[in-house]
Each structure stands twice: as C-alpha cells, then as structure tokens.
Amino acid sequence: MRLSDRVYLVGSGRLGFGISSPFDCHVYAIDGGSEIALFDAGSGLDVDTIVERMRFDGLDVSKLRYLVLSHGHADHAGGAIQWRERFGVDVLAHPLTAQYVATADLKAISLAAAIAAGVYPGDYQFHACPVAGTLKGGDTLRAGDLTLSIHDAPGHSSGQIAAMLEQGGKRHLFSADAVFHGGRIVLQNIWDCHLHESMETIRALAALRPDALLPGHLTISLSDGAAELDRACKAMDRLEVPPALL
C-alpha cells in the first residue's frame, strides 16, 4: 500500500488493515532506490504475505538492506530472524532492544504476560536474532538515497525508537507505539512501561512537527500529523493522561 513517493505499508494486523498476520504491527518499507529499509518486522507468523505485498507494490525484495526494529515486543520484532535469514538484512535496534532480540530475552519483552492476555497465540515462539548494529537518538541511517533520523522514544517500552524521514518536502514520522492517531497512547501493565517517560517522548516528537504520522497500529495520518501529537500535548497541559488507544 503506497503511502507516499517512497513509503509503503506492507504489513498490518488486526489492529490495522488486516493485510498480513493478525498479530503483526504495521510494517513499513522505505524505498531508497538502490536499497530498501523495513521499519519493524511483524510477528514472523506471515512473512510470506508481507513479501507478496512488497512485490505487488513494485518493490524489489532483492534490494532489502536494513531492518530497523522500533522496540522488542513480538508484534514488532518477532519476524526479525526470518528477514535476516531469508534476505540477509542488517537488523538494527536501540542497544536495549538489540540485547533483548539477540538473546531472545522473553522476560524483558514481557512475552508470557502478552500470551496470557491473548495478545499472541498460546504456542507463539520468539526466536533470537543477531543484531548487526545499534541505533539511538541522534543517529542517522542512510538507505540508498534516503536518510532516516533516529529519536529515542521510551515510555511504551524500554529501548523504543522512532524515526523521521524528510522526503519530497514532507516529514514522515514513524512513531512506533509511542503515540497514535488522535493523540492516543498505549499503557500496559508490564515492567518497562512508564507514564512519565511516555509523556516526555510525546512532547519531543511533537516538536518535530511531522506532516505524516505513521504509528505502529491503526489509523495513519498522511497530512498534518503534528495535530495528532498536539491532541496528546493538550491533554497533558490539562494535567490529564492522553486517551488510551483501546
């Protein structure tokens, strides 16, 4: 699903557009011409459909070069090992996420709690994946002729990052699970979800004034994405917590 000149939505689950496994987050492909970067991997339960979507959109999967993981939760990172083994991508993540994924630290990614809550199937397995390098706030990633700027985005989970792509006169913010359309957030009863970190992240991302807000789930904003972050900021200005996604 082509979202802009160089950005495609190629995977999305039940909290989205239902174009791949129900357990997938939004998976974005960023076409840098000679190289393609994926932002997030999906759960790994239906990589074939994501590949088919890429081909349907005219993307050459032989140009896959990078996989950027926003954080370690299984709907975003569970497919990493398949992308690496099948397409030879370099997997990149925040240093904390890199540790969780490389060692399959199931406690750190709260997998048992998520399975118990029905977020994933009872027999779901998360497989360790080697990580080629780390990314943190202030870093950049060059994919072909495009550059992603990386921004730390903790709150929803530890080691979460967001990414900004400035292309074609527009700012595209890949916000992962930091903030969603309508200024909504996801707070979960897990060890590394912290309200105040989430609020600080939203303020920082709002200052970037994105045109397109491309979150990890549900609705996508292709214009005036900054207004969606402003909704969350206005709630915080009233000493309220932004509304929950679900």
Side-chain angles (χ1 to χ4, degrees):
M1 185 187 303
R2 193 172 190 174
L3 302 178
S4 68
D5 186 37
R6 300 289 195 94
V7 178
Y8 298 77
L9 181 71
V10 294
S12 180
R14 61 187 175 190
L15 292 181
F17 300 94
I19 61 177
S20 58
S21 167
F23 304 98
D24 285 346
C25 66
H26 289 344
V27 178
Y28 297 98
I30 301 159
D31 181 10
S34 61
E35 296 177 323
I36 295 173
L38 292 180
F39 190 81
D40 279 332
S43 64
L45 294 175
D46 194 3
V47 168
D48 284 341
T49 293
I50 298 176
V51 173
E52 289 171 8
R53 284 315 230 173
M54 293 182 68
R55 289 176 171 145
F56 179 81
D57 284 331
L59 294 170
D60 183 352
V61 296
S62 71
K63 294 181 179 180
L64 279 168
R65 179 71 176 87
Y66 300 107
L67 167 60
V68 178
L69 300 178
S70 66
H71 60 295
H73 290 168
D75 53 334
H76 294 257
I81 187 62
Q82 292 190 52
W83 290 108
R84 182 182 184 274
E85 290 183 346
R86 293 175 59 177
F87 298 98
V89 300
D90 286 344
V91 179
L92 306 170
H94 184 277
L96 289 175
T97 299
Q99 178 182 341
Y100 304 158
V101 171
T103 62
D105 189 337
L106 305 186
K107 184 176 180 180
I109 64 171
S110 302
L111 185 62
I115 290 175
V119 176
Y120 308 112
D123 59 352
Y124 180 82
Q125 294 185 351
F126 186 101
H127 298 285
C129 177
V131 176
T134 60
L135 294 169
K136 60 183 185 300
D139 290 342
T140 59
L141 173 66
R142 187 78 175 175
D145 61 0
L146 298 179
T147 300
L148 289 172
S149 60
I150 305 302
H151 301 268
D152 291 327
H156 171 74
S157 69
S158 58
Q160 181 170 247
I161 55 174
M164 177 74 85
L165 170 68
E166 296 192 42
Q167 193 275 324
K170 293 185 64 174
R171 292 185 168 195
H172 303 75
L173 177 61
F174 301 88
S175 63
D177 287 358
V179 63
F180 301 87
H181 184 272
R184 296 179 179 273
I185 62 174
V186 172
L187 296 176
Q188 295 176 298
N189 182 26
I190 55 177
W191 73 275
D192 60 342
C193 184
H194 301 292
L195 174 61
H196 292 293
E197 284 188 348
S198 181
M199 303 300 100
E200 291 173 1
T201 287
I202 291 170
R203 295 278 192 198
L205 296 181
L208 300 176
R209 311 313 296 164
D211 299 294
L213 179 66
L214 308 177
H217 302 280
L218 295 174
T219 305
I220 291 168
S221 301
L222 295 181
S223 62
D224 201 14
E228 308 305 326
L229 290 113
D230 289 344
R231 289 186 174 93
C233 291
K234 288 176 182 177
M236 292 187 285
D237 290 342
R238 299 189 299 267
L239 304 184
E240 300 172 0
V241 175
L245 181 65
L246 300 174

